[in-house]
């Protein structure tokens, strides 16, 4: 029997480098997927690849309203077993000040507020017969701080506080955890990899970038039967960068 036996798992940011790998892995293990992203063509291509996966194109990648989050989940009629929340944007701040406050608001909304709203939306649709899961993507940026991405660092730090609070609020029915990836070889950080890839790799004890699959396997662990006594945790998947 497949590990997930048609349990419903919602994946936001599903067309991204990490989200798509999570989708492939969980689909192969028998999950019924709800894929959510604003990138219409890549999302449809992924849904076609994963036969049976439901595909939802959100109005914005930020899932910018609670109503939108709730409406997104209406696409599934069965209770939800897990939420894997990968949706977010990686946008530099520029100089601090009023001129760039709009960027701050946008980044906080797309990386933190939508996580809160999706958690609420899923909490209304959880399977009452299961110990359910919520897994959110944080980032090594919140542990180290990112010079060019102040709002992003703050938002990903907010994810850590969010999951710790939710792990208490939603216990014992839901295990709530986060993953803090380092720099993973995906399109999102491609520009900084091109600009200073050697410097980034030099700060990683394993001396390489991470691969999306290496994050997806930890997501699968947190959704699976091996993590039943783990909640409220942020797990680094960064090649040791946060400790260097």
């Amino acid at each position: 029997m497949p590990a997930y036996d048609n349990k419903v798992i919602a994946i936001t940011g599903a067309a991204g480098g990490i989200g798509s790998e999570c989708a492939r892995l969980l689909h192969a293990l028998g999950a019924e997927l709800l894929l959510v992203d604003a990138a219409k063509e890549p999302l449809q291509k992924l849904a076609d690849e994963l036969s049976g996966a439901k595909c939802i194109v959100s109005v914005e990648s930020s899932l910018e309203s609670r109503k939108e989050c709730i409406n997104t989940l209406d696409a599934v009629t069965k209770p939800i077993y897990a939420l894997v929340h990968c949706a977010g944007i990686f946008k530099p701040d520029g100089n601090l000040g009023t001129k760039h406050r709009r960027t701050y608001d946008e980044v906080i909304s797309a990386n933190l507020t939508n996580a809160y709203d999706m958690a609420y939306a899923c909490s209304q649709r959880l399977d009452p017969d299961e110990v359910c899961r919520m897994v959110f993507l944080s980032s090594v940026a919140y542990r180290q701080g990112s010079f060019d991405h102040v709002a992003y660092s703050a938002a990903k730090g907010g994810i850590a506080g969010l999951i710790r609070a939710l792990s208490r609020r939603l216990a014992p029915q839901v295990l709530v955890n986060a993953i803090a990836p380092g720099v993973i070889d995906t399109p999102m950080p491609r520009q900084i990899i091109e600009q200073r890839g050697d410097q980034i790799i030099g700060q990683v004890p394993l001396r390489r970038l991470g691969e999306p699959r290496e994050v997806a396997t930890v997501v699968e662990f947190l959704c699976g039967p091996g993590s039943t006594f783990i909640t409220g945790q942020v797990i680094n998947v960064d090649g040791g960068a946060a400790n260097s």
Side-chain angles (χ1 to χ4, degrees), residues 179-199:
I179 295 172
V183 180
I184 307 299
D185 192 8
T186 66
M188 181 178 279
R190 189 60 44 78
Q191 184 174 358
I192 67 166
I193 291 171
E194 292 174 354
Q195 291 173 347
R196 52 179 191 271
D198 291 343
Q199 179 185 352

PDB file of all heavy atoms in Angstrom, residues 179-199:
ATOM      1  N   ILE A 179      10.845  24.009   7.706  1.00  0.00           N
ATOM      2  CA  ILE A 179      12.172  23.681   7.179  1.00  0.00           C
ATOM      3  C   ILE A 179      12.846  24.987   6.788  1.00  0.00           C
ATOM      4  O   ILE A 179      12.216  25.870   6.190  1.00  0.00           O
ATOM      5  CB  ILE A 179      12.062  22.755   5.961  1.00  0.00           C
ATOM      6  CG1 ILE A 179      11.464  21.412   6.383  1.00  0.00           C
ATOM      7  CG2 ILE A 179      13.422  22.546   5.304  1.00  0.00           C
ATOM      8  CD1 ILE A 179      11.148  20.495   5.227  1.00  0.00           C
ATOM      9  N   ALA A 180      14.108  25.135   7.167  1.00  0.00           N
ATOM     10  CA  ALA A 180      14.884  26.324   6.814  1.00  0.00           C
ATOM     11  C   ALA A 180      15.964  25.918   5.816  1.00  0.00           C
ATOM     12  O   ALA A 180      17.072  25.540   6.213  1.00  0.00           O
ATOM     13  CB  ALA A 180      15.497  26.958   8.056  1.00  0.00           C
ATOM     14  N   PRO A 181      15.660  25.982   4.519  1.00  0.00           N
ATOM     15  CA  PRO A 181      16.681  25.631   3.532  1.00  0.00           C
ATOM     16  C   PRO A 181      17.766  26.697   3.456  1.00  0.00           C
ATOM     17  O   PRO A 181      17.519  27.887   3.712  1.00  0.00           O
ATOM     18  CB  PRO A 181      15.904  25.573   2.211  1.00  0.00           C
ATOM     19  CG  PRO A 181      14.461  25.543   2.591  1.00  0.00           C
ATOM     20  CD  PRO A 181      14.380  26.287   3.889  1.00  0.00           C
ATOM     21  N   GLY A 182      18.958  26.255   3.099  1.00  0.00           N
ATOM     22  CA  GLY A 182      19.999  27.191   2.696  1.00  0.00           C
ATOM     23  C   GLY A 182      19.762  27.591   1.253  1.00  0.00           C
ATOM     24  O   GLY A 182      18.632  27.570   0.765  1.00  0.00           O
ATOM     25  N   VAL A 183      20.815  27.944   0.550  1.00  0.00           N
ATOM     26  CA  VAL A 183      20.664  28.297  -0.866  1.00  0.00           C
ATOM     27  C   VAL A 183      20.538  27.007  -1.667  1.00  0.00           C
ATOM     28  O   VAL A 183      21.450  26.186  -1.717  1.00  0.00           O
ATOM     29  CB  VAL A 183      21.855  29.132  -1.365  1.00  0.00           C
ATOM     30  CG1 VAL A 183      21.671  29.472  -2.843  1.00  0.00           C
ATOM     31  CG2 VAL A 183      21.977  30.412  -0.555  1.00  0.00           C
ATOM     32  N   ILE A 184      19.363  26.831  -2.258  1.00  0.00           N
ATOM     33  CA  ILE A 184      19.042  25.634  -3.036  1.00  0.00           C
ATOM     34  C   ILE A 184      19.088  26.005  -4.517  1.00  0.00           C
ATOM     35  O   ILE A 184      18.671  27.096  -4.916  1.00  0.00           O
ATOM     36  CB  ILE A 184      17.643  25.099  -2.656  1.00  0.00           C
ATOM     37  CG1 ILE A 184      17.527  24.909  -1.134  1.00  0.00           C
ATOM     38  CG2 ILE A 184      17.348  23.800  -3.393  1.00  0.00           C
ATOM     39  CD1 ILE A 184      18.509  23.924  -0.532  1.00  0.00           C
ATOM     40  N   ASP A 185      19.588  25.097  -5.320  1.00  0.00           N
ATOM     41  CA  ASP A 185      19.783  25.364  -6.748  1.00  0.00           C
ATOM     42  C   ASP A 185      18.441  25.307  -7.482  1.00  0.00           C
ATOM     43  O   ASP A 185      18.074  24.303  -8.097  1.00  0.00           O
ATOM     44  CB  ASP A 185      20.753  24.344  -7.330  1.00  0.00           C
ATOM     45  CG  ASP A 185      21.217  24.732  -8.730  1.00  0.00           C
ATOM     46  OD1 ASP A 185      20.907  25.853  -9.182  1.00  0.00           O
ATOM     47  OD2 ASP A 185      21.894  23.899  -9.371  1.00  0.00           O
ATOM     48  N   THR A 186      17.703  26.414  -7.392  1.00  0.00           N
ATOM     49  CA  THR A 186      16.401  26.562  -8.031  1.00  0.00           C
ATOM     50  C   THR A 186      16.358  27.929  -8.718  1.00  0.00           C
ATOM     51  O   THR A 186      17.230  28.775  -8.486  1.00  0.00           O
ATOM     52  CB  THR A 186      15.256  26.484  -6.991  1.00  0.00           C
ATOM     53  OG1 THR A 186      15.350  27.609  -6.113  1.00  0.00           O
ATOM     54  CG2 THR A 186      15.326  25.183  -6.192  1.00  0.00           C
ATOM     55  N   PRO A 187      15.333  28.189  -9.513  1.00  0.00           N
ATOM     56  CA  PRO A 187      15.253  29.498 -10.188  1.00  0.00           C
ATOM     57  C   PRO A 187      15.146  30.679  -9.234  1.00  0.00           C
ATOM     58  O   PRO A 187      15.630  31.775  -9.558  1.00  0.00           O
ATOM     59  CB  PRO A 187      13.992  29.365 -11.047  1.00  0.00           C
ATOM     60  CG  PRO A 187      13.888  27.905 -11.340  1.00  0.00           C
ATOM     61  CD  PRO A 187      14.362  27.222 -10.086  1.00  0.00           C
ATOM     62  N   MET A 188      14.528  30.522  -8.058  1.00  0.00           N
ATOM     63  CA  MET A 188      14.308  31.675  -7.184  1.00  0.00           C
ATOM     64  C   MET A 188      15.594  32.409  -6.809  1.00  0.00           C
ATOM     65  O   MET A 188      15.661  33.631  -6.924  1.00  0.00           O
ATOM     66  CB  MET A 188      13.531  31.255  -5.925  1.00  0.00           C
ATOM     67  CG  MET A 188      13.249  32.405  -4.981  1.00  0.00           C
ATOM     68  SD  MET A 188      12.285  31.934  -3.510  1.00  0.00           S
ATOM     69  CE  MET A 188      10.629  31.931  -4.182  1.00  0.00           C
ATOM     70  N   PRO A 189      16.658  31.718  -6.354  1.00  0.00           N
ATOM     71  CA  PRO A 189      17.884  32.444  -6.008  1.00  0.00           C
ATOM     72  C   PRO A 189      18.915  32.487  -7.128  1.00  0.00           C
ATOM     73  O   PRO A 189      20.086  32.781  -6.887  1.00  0.00           O
ATOM     74  CB  PRO A 189      18.429  31.628  -4.829  1.00  0.00           C
ATOM     75  CG  PRO A 189      18.064  30.226  -5.178  1.00  0.00           C
ATOM     76  CD  PRO A 189      16.738  30.310  -5.918  1.00  0.00           C
ATOM     77  N   ARG A 190      18.484  32.186  -8.366  1.00  0.00           N
ATOM     78  CA  ARG A 190      19.436  32.054  -9.464  1.00  0.00           C
ATOM     79  C   ARG A 190      20.308  33.285  -9.651  1.00  0.00           C
ATOM     80  O   ARG A 190      21.516  33.181  -9.915  1.00  0.00           O
ATOM     81  CB  ARG A 190      18.665  31.747 -10.763  1.00  0.00           C
ATOM     82  CG  ARG A 190      19.532  31.372 -11.958  1.00  0.00           C
ATOM     83  CD  ARG A 190      20.381  30.116 -11.733  1.00  0.00           C
ATOM     84  NE  ARG A 190      19.690  29.019 -11.101  1.00  0.00           N
ATOM     85  CZ  ARG A 190      18.834  28.183 -11.698  1.00  0.00           C
ATOM     86  NH1 ARG A 190      18.527  28.350 -12.977  1.00  0.00           N
ATOM     87  NH2 ARG A 190      18.308  27.185 -11.033  1.00  0.00           N
ATOM     88  N   GLN A 191      19.725  34.475  -9.462  1.00  0.00           N
ATOM     89  CA  GLN A 191      20.499  35.697  -9.681  1.00  0.00           C
ATOM     90  C   GLN A 191      21.639  35.822  -8.684  1.00  0.00           C
ATOM     91  O   GLN A 191      22.767  36.159  -9.057  1.00  0.00           O
ATOM     92  CB  GLN A 191      19.594  36.931  -9.597  1.00  0.00           C
ATOM     93  CG  GLN A 191      20.331  38.226  -9.915  1.00  0.00           C
ATOM     94  CD  GLN A 191      19.413  39.435  -9.965  1.00  0.00           C
ATOM     95  OE1 GLN A 191      18.204  39.325  -9.795  1.00  0.00           O
ATOM     96  NE2 GLN A 191      19.977  40.598 -10.207  1.00  0.00           N
ATOM     97  N   ILE A 192      21.371  35.557  -7.400  1.00  0.00           N
ATOM     98  CA  ILE A 192      22.459  35.683  -6.422  1.00  0.00           C
ATOM     99  C   ILE A 192      23.470  34.557  -6.574  1.00  0.00           C
ATOM    100  O   ILE A 192      24.655  34.740  -6.265  1.00  0.00           O
ATOM    101  CB  ILE A 192      21.942  35.770  -4.969  1.00  0.00           C
ATOM    102  CG1 ILE A 192      21.282  34.468  -4.521  1.00  0.00           C
ATOM    103  CG2 ILE A 192      21.009  36.937  -4.785  1.00  0.00           C
ATOM    104  CD1 ILE A 192      21.082  34.392  -3.023  1.00  0.00           C
ATOM    105  N   ILE A 193      23.018  33.406  -7.068  1.00  0.00           N
ATOM    106  CA  ILE A 193      23.970  32.325  -7.338  1.00  0.00           C
ATOM    107  C   ILE A 193      24.928  32.748  -8.445  1.00  0.00           C
ATOM    108  O   ILE A 193      26.143  32.526  -8.357  1.00  0.00           O
ATOM    109  CB  ILE A 193      23.226  31.029  -7.712  1.00  0.00           C
ATOM    110  CG1 ILE A 193      22.471  30.468  -6.490  1.00  0.00           C
ATOM    111  CG2 ILE A 193      24.208  29.977  -8.244  1.00  0.00           C
ATOM    112  CD1 ILE A 193      21.550  29.308  -6.823  1.00  0.00           C
ATOM    113  N   GLU A 194      24.381  33.387  -9.474  1.00  0.00           N
ATOM    114  CA  GLU A 194      25.229  33.851 -10.579  1.00  0.00           C
ATOM    115  C   GLU A 194      26.170  34.955 -10.131  1.00  0.00           C
ATOM    116  O   GLU A 194      27.316  35.029 -10.581  1.00  0.00           O
ATOM    117  CB  GLU A 194      24.341  34.340 -11.732  1.00  0.00           C
ATOM    118  CG  GLU A 194      23.571  33.225 -12.418  1.00  0.00           C
ATOM    119  CD  GLU A 194      22.593  33.743 -13.453  1.00  0.00           C
ATOM    120  OE1 GLU A 194      22.438  34.986 -13.546  1.00  0.00           O
ATOM    121  OE2 GLU A 194      21.996  32.918 -14.176  1.00  0.00           O
ATOM    122  N   GLN A 195      25.710  35.819  -9.233  1.00  0.00           N
ATOM    123  CA  GLN A 195      26.511  36.957  -8.801  1.00  0.00           C
ATOM    124  C   GLN A 195      27.598  36.557  -7.813  1.00  0.00           C
ATOM    125  O   GLN A 195      28.721  37.067  -7.875  1.00  0.00           O
ATOM    126  CB  GLN A 195      25.601  38.014  -8.177  1.00  0.00           C
ATOM    127  CG  GLN A 195      24.685  38.713  -9.165  1.00  0.00           C
ATOM    128  CD  GLN A 195      23.687  39.635  -8.494  1.00  0.00           C
ATOM    129  OE1 GLN A 195      23.494  39.597  -7.270  1.00  0.00           O
ATOM    130  NE2 GLN A 195      23.043  40.484  -9.279  1.00  0.00           N
ATOM    131  N   ARG A 196      27.270  35.686  -6.878  1.00  0.00           N
ATOM    132  CA  ARG A 196      28.248  35.346  -5.838  1.00  0.00           C
ATOM    133  C   ARG A 196      28.152  33.889  -5.384  1.00  0.00           C
ATOM    134  O   ARG A 196      28.240  33.573  -4.197  1.00  0.00           O
ATOM    135  CB  ARG A 196      28.105  36.290  -4.651  1.00  0.00           C
ATOM    136  CG  ARG A 196      26.727  36.447  -4.053  1.00  0.00           C
ATOM    137  CD  ARG A 196      26.797  37.410  -2.867  1.00  0.00           C
ATOM    138  NE  ARG A 196      25.603  37.442  -2.062  1.00  0.00           N
ATOM    139  CZ  ARG A 196      24.569  38.243  -2.268  1.00  0.00           C
ATOM    140  NH1 ARG A 196      24.579  39.093  -3.282  1.00  0.00           N
ATOM    141  NH2 ARG A 196      23.516  38.202  -1.458  1.00  0.00           N
ATOM    142  N   GLY A 197      27.998  33.010  -6.368  1.00  0.00           N
ATOM    143  CA  GLY A 197      27.881  31.588  -6.066  1.00  0.00           C
ATOM    144  C   GLY A 197      29.076  31.030  -5.323  1.00  0.00           C
ATOM    145  O   GLY A 197      28.937  30.252  -4.367  1.00  0.00           O
ATOM    146  N   ASP A 198      30.286  31.409  -5.729  1.00  0.00           N
ATOM    147  CA  ASP A 198      31.491  30.888  -5.079  1.00  0.00           C
ATOM    148  C   ASP A 198      31.559  31.327  -3.619  1.00  0.00           C
ATOM    149  O   ASP A 198      31.955  30.544  -2.736  1.00  0.00           O
ATOM    150  CB  ASP A 198      32.740  31.351  -5.822  1.00  0.00           C
ATOM    151  CG  ASP A 198      32.888  30.699  -7.191  1.00  0.00           C
ATOM    152  OD1 ASP A 198      32.219  29.669  -7.428  1.00  0.00           O
ATOM    153  OD2 ASP A 198      33.649  31.232  -8.023  1.00  0.00           O
ATOM    154  N   GLN A 199      31.170  32.552  -3.356  1.00  0.00           N
ATOM    155  CA  GLN A 199      31.158  33.052  -1.980  1.00  0.00           C
ATOM    156  C   GLN A 199      30.142  32.289  -1.134  1.00  0.00           C
ATOM    157  O   GLN A 199      30.423  31.920   0.007  1.00  0.00           O
ATOM    158  CB  GLN A 199      30.822  34.538  -1.973  1.00  0.00           C
ATOM    159  CG  GLN A 199      30.753  35.153  -0.582  1.00  0.00           C
ATOM    160  CD  GLN A 199      30.303  36.608  -0.618  1.00  0.00           C
ATOM    161  OE1 GLN A 199      30.185  37.209  -1.685  1.00  0.00           O
ATOM    162  NE2 GLN A 199      30.048  37.174   0.547  1.00  0.00           N
TER     163      GLN A 199
END
